[in-house]
Amino acid sequence: LARLKCSLWWRRALRKQQRRCIEETGRDLNLVNVNDGIYATDETVNRRKQQRARNRAMLESVKAVNELGQEYTLQELSDTSVSKPENRRHELMTRIAGFEKYSLDKGHVGEFWTVTCPSKYHSAHSKSGRVNKKFKGLTPRDGQKYLAKTWAQVRAEFARQDIKIYGFRVAEPQHDGTPHWHLLVFMSPSQSVKAREIYQAYALKEDGQERGALMYRFDYKVMNAGGAAGYIAKYIAKSIDGFGIEEDLFGNCAATASERVDAWASTWGIRQFQQIGGHSVTVWRELRRLE
């Protein structure tokens, strides 16, 4: 009831709906593809840039004073947290490196899984950029829900078969804004083949007979010992600030691509990074404070 009576809440809700409606229309008109507005429409990307500039100007204009009389702008305080892309990237890489170190200590193997959506979620073809005739008007949020539902089924099957995995998941947009997942996972060597078979089976449950499904719906790579964290680093950098990468998969400037990925994730409310297994991020942060 308090929300229904709050004009600010309604304004936020309507603006969110407006952004998604504009982006959905852009995909329907094939304005988001490998040749034009990759990952998100230019309208959405420009609006996100303006929003970030407004937020930064506001934070720089407000000062906070602590009990010792020290004065800082809110932007300076924000830059010490994970709100700053560089800090966010560092923390994610630290957590992944921690997982990898643990896996080496335990003799576990690391694998890199990539999971994609059925063709009906894709608005355009990846090579030509032309309209995909199989597209059913589904949004990136629908694609994310499909991937999350499949993952929930896979985890339930893992639990039934006592397969224990841990690692990290990255959600990325394909050229037309359709999400796909990269998972860096660690597990006992004796369980790796079975784990792969289970995920592939669930990934092919929906439209598994269509052309290319067996090749693209689920893919995996076995990681070399000690090289897993470095392998996923480029995917994390691409999704945050493009650090250390010259170009994305389609030959675009990495820094520009990361801006478009940020606009995509913000518009559709997609969680880009998720830890699989392990304790909460709070535990990681507090333990790293110790000498």
Side-chain angles (χ1 to χ4, degrees):
L1 290 175
R3 286 181 175 180
L4 292 176
K5 292 186 291 184
C6 177
S7 61
L8 293 177
W9 183 87
W10 276 106
R11 186 168 66 181
R12 286 194 297 268
L14 289 170
R15 280 179 173 172
K16 179 170 68 177
Q17 188 63 28
Q18 180 196 41
R19 290 194 299 269
R20 291 178 181 176
C21 186
I22 290 172
E23 195 65 11
E24 186 175 357
T25 303
R27 293 183 80 236
D28 291 341
L29 296 173
N30 199 29
L31 299 178
V32 184
N33 62 65
V34 67
N35 297 321
D36 296 316
I38 195 166
Y39 309 135
T41 61
D42 293 339
E43 168 76 17
T44 291
V45 173
N46 291 332
R47 186 175 57 247
R48 177 63 172 166
K49 283 182 182 178
Q50 294 168 8
Q51 180 191 29
R52 291 173 71 92
R54 287 195 306 270
N55 290 345
R56 187 171 188 88
M58 186 276 291
L59 292 175
E60 288 176 344
S61 67
V62 180
K63 295 182 179 180
V65 182
N66 64 15
E67 67 276 9
L68 301 176
Q70 297 170 318
E71 186 177 282
Y72 303 95
T73 66
L74 294 187
Q75 184 60 54
E76 289 174 322
L77 297 175
S78 176
D79 285 344
T80 65
S81 72
V82 290
S83 298
K84 186 178 181 180
E86 182 181 6
N87 294 345
R88 188 182 184 198
R89 174 167 45 79
H90 286 167
E91 178 175 82
L92 291 172
M93 289 307 303
T94 299
R95 291 163 67 188
I96 292 169
F99 271 139
E100 185 172 31
K101 184 177 184 303
Y102 180 85
S103 73
L104 293 173
D105 291 343
K106 296 295 181 180
H108 292 167
V109 295
E111 295 196 0
F112 191 80
W113 297 344
T114 300
V115 191
T116 60
C117 295
S119 61
K120 64 185 179 185
Y121 291 87
H122 297 266
S123 61
H125 292 286
S126 60
K127 294 182 179 178
S128 65
R130 292 197 300 266
V131 174
N132 175 25
K133 294 181 179 179
K134 294 182 179 180
F135 181 50
K136 299 295 185 182
L138 297 165
T139 69
R141 273 189 75 80
D142 295 323
Q144 182 74 356
K145 288 177 182 177
Y146 159 77
L147 292 170
K149 179 182 176 182
T150 302
W151 175 235
Q153 294 171 337
V154 169
R155 283 190 294 114
E157 187 63 30
F158 283 175
R160 285 191 287 270
Q161 302 207 25
D162 197 31
I163 296 176
K164 300 187 188 320
I165 69 169
Y166 55 96
F168 225 78
R169 187 270 294 165
V170 179
E172 269 195 331
Q174 291 180 287
H175 70 104
D176 60 354
T178 307
H180 66 294
W181 283 10
H182 298 297
L183 298 98
L184 176 62
V185 293
F186 302 95
M187 70 203 85
S188 169
S190 62
Q191 297 182 326
S192 60
V193 175
K194 188 62 178 178
R196 271 186 247 136
E197 291 174 349
I198 290 172
Y199 209 143
Q200 185 175 50
Y202 278 98
L204 293 172
K205 280 185 69 175
E206 188 171 320
D207 300 339
Q209 300 304 314
E210 67 181 3
R211 182 181 177 184
L214 189 61
M215 183 180 295
Y216 298 111
R217 201 71 66 77
F218 176 84
D219 185 39
Y220 77 92
K221 289 183 177 65
V222 178
M223 297 287 95
N224 295 324
Y231 191 86
I232 200 174
K234 60 182 179 180
Y235 295 97
I236 290 177
K238 174 189 168 184
S239 298
I240 295 179
D241 56 5
F243 176 82
I245 307 174
E246 293 183 0
E247 297 179 343
D248 69 358
L249 184 64
F250 302 98
N252 301 298
C253 169
T256 302
S258 66
E259 286 184 345
R260 302 188 76 91
V261 172
D262 171 72
W264 167 83
S266 173
T267 298
W268 294 111
I270 290 177
R271 183 178 179 183
Q272 292 175 274
F273 310 105
Q274 184 174 17
Q275 181 177 283
I276 301 168
H279 290 285
S280 72
V281 64
T282 302
V283 176
W284 283 81
R285 290 171 180 165
E286 292 302 318
L287 285 176
R288 286 206 307 275
R289 292 174 183 268
L290 300 177
E291 294 293 339

